[in-house]
Structure formats: structure tokens, C-alpha cells
């Protein structure tokens, strides 16, 4: 990782600006995992750094790493609602990009149990509740499989997901919860 990656990881905006302006570091340089400084800033919830990298240094909001994860995937996985809102509202981040496990940012938020982000993505940004991940699993399968009971209840009560839906293996969310 470059010094810029480390500055972004720790949220050191001033240091990041200095590295970019005085040492002319590449703002889009990927590390061995394909993560750019923007991935790292979003993973850590550093909204100001993310905004700076996109606006001033022209980093692509939809850049992906070796696992096909975008900065939005990273923010959703780590529960950074402010960064999610910034990436989507201000910069038009693609909500439908799937990572190498076939997960959209919404799927990642469900798998991680971030109820508030799931609600934001589904109500404010109109992400489909019918999205399917690997093996045809629904968002409800994911929530039940990870033990996110409150999220599962929300998906059923607010978003009307079918608790009797089956995945490609014929399993319902209840089957997945009991495994």
C-alpha cells in the first residue's frame, strides 16, 4: 500500500492532500487487492476524503477492485450511511454492480446487518427488494443466514419479502436460518 492508502485508512485528509499535491502520488493507484485510496476512504467512513478524491482528483466512483467491489460495496459492508448517501446522491454510484460473489451493495448491507443502510437503499434509492444473490438467495435468505433477526422482520413487515420463497436449492429463509 502507498502512503496515500494509509492516510485514507486513517482519515488524514490534510496528509492525503499533501501527498497528492506535493508528491504527485497517483490518486487512483490500486494496492495488491485492487483497492484504490477511494475504496480505503469509503471502507473507513471518511466521507471528506472520498468527496475530495472524486471531485478534485477525478477518481471514478464506480472503480472496482479484484473482487469487483466498488467503494459503495465497502461503505455498505462497513455501515457508513453518510458515505453511502454521498456516493449515491452526489456522485451517482451504480447501485446494481455485483461483486465476484454476485452481491449488489444492497446485498452486502443485508449480509452485514446494517438495517439503516438497507432501509435507505430500498426507500430513498429504490433498490429492488427482489434482487437475488448467489444460488438465487433473496435478501431475506441472506438476513436469516447471518442471524440478523431484526433485519429479517423488517424485510418481511416493511418490504413484504416472502418468507416462503425458495432459492435455487429449494431452501426457504427458515431452512437457511436453521443451518
Amino acid at each position: 500500500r502507498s502512503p496515500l492508502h494509509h492516510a485514507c485508512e486513517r482519515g488524514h485528509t490534510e496528509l492525503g492532500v499533501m501527498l497528492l499535491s506535493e508528491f504527485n502520488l497517483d490518486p487512483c493507484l490500486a494496492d495488491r487487492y485492487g483497492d484504490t485510496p477511494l475504496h480505503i476512504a469509503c471502507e473507513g467512513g471518511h466521507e471528506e476524503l472520498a468527496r475530495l478524491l472524486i471531485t478534485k482528483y477525478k477518481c471514478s466512483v464506480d472503480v472496482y477492485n479484484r473482487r469487483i467491489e466498488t467503494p459503495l460495496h465497502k461503505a455498505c459492508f462497513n455501515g457508513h450511511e453518510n458515505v453511502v448517501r454521498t456516493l449515491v446522491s452526489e456522485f451517482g454510484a451504480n447501485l446494481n454492480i455485483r461483486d465476484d460473489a454476485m452481491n449488489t451493495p444492497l446485498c452486502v448491507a443485508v449480509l452485514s446487518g446494517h438495517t439503516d443502510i438497507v432501509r435507505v437503499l430500498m426507500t430513498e434509492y429504490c433498490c429492488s427488494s427482489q434482487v437475488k444473490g448467489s444460488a438465487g438467495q433473496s435478501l431475506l435468505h441472506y438476513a436469516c443466514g447471518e442471524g440478523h433477526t431484526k433485519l429479517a422482520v423488517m424485510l418481511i413487515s416493511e418490504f413484504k419479502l416472502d418468507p416462503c420463497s425458495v432459492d435455487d436449492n429449494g431452501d426457504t429463509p427458515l431452512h437457511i436460518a436453521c443451518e
Side-chain angles (χ1 to χ4, degrees):
R1 282 193 165 170
S2 74
L4 181 58
H5 283 87
H6 291 289
C8 288
E9 181 177 33
R10 290 169 181 80
H12 297 309
T13 304
E14 289 179 19
L15 178 58
V17 169
M18 183 193 74
L19 290 168
L20 289 163
S21 60
E22 293 183 28
F23 295 97
N24 205 25
L25 291 182
D26 181 355
C28 302
L29 180 69
D31 66 13
R32 64 182 172 171
Y33 303 107
D35 287 327
T36 65
L38 181 57
H39 282 98
I40 303 301
C42 292
E43 182 175 45
H46 307 298
E47 179 182 6
E48 183 182 356
L49 263 169
R51 185 179 280 115
L52 181 76
L53 288 165
I54 296 167
T55 57
K56 186 171 183 182
Y57 296 98
K58 307 301 179 208
C59 294
S60 170
V61 70
D62 290 324
V63 63
Y64 56 87
N65 63 18
R66 290 188 179 171
R67 296 189 60 214
I68 321 299
E69 296 166 323
T70 64
L72 183 58
H73 282 91
K74 296 281 194 172
C76 287
F77 180 80
N78 288 286
H80 301 301
E81 184 179 337
N82 60 325
V83 176
V84 170
R85 287 179 182 278
T86 298
L87 293 174
V88 178
S89 295
E90 292 182 34
F91 302 110
N94 187 333
L95 293 161
N96 298 309
I97 293 178
R98 291 179 180 268
D99 64 17
D100 65 355
M102 297 304 297
N103 294 317
T104 64
L106 175 59
C107 294
V108 170
V110 170
L111 285 165
S112 303
H114 298 297
T115 305
D116 291 340
I117 292 176
V118 172
R119 185 175 281 117
V120 165
L121 291 173
M122 292 177 73
T123 57
E124 295 179 32
Y125 302 119
C126 302
C127 286
S128 173
S129 62
Q130 302 306 311
V131 67
K132 301 279 185 179
S134 61
Q137 292 192 333
S138 70
L139 298 175
L140 189 54
H141 283 88
Y142 281 173
C144 289
E146 296 298 320
H148 303 307
T149 308
K150 289 180 183 177
L151 180 53
V153 169
M154 180 188 83
L155 291 170
I156 294 168
S157 63
E158 291 181 36
F159 298 103
K160 309 302 182 215
L161 268 69
D162 182 4
C164 297
S165 64
V166 293
D167 64 15
D168 293 348
N169 298 317
D171 292 326
T172 67
L174 183 57
H175 288 112
I176 301 298
C178 293
E179 288 182 348

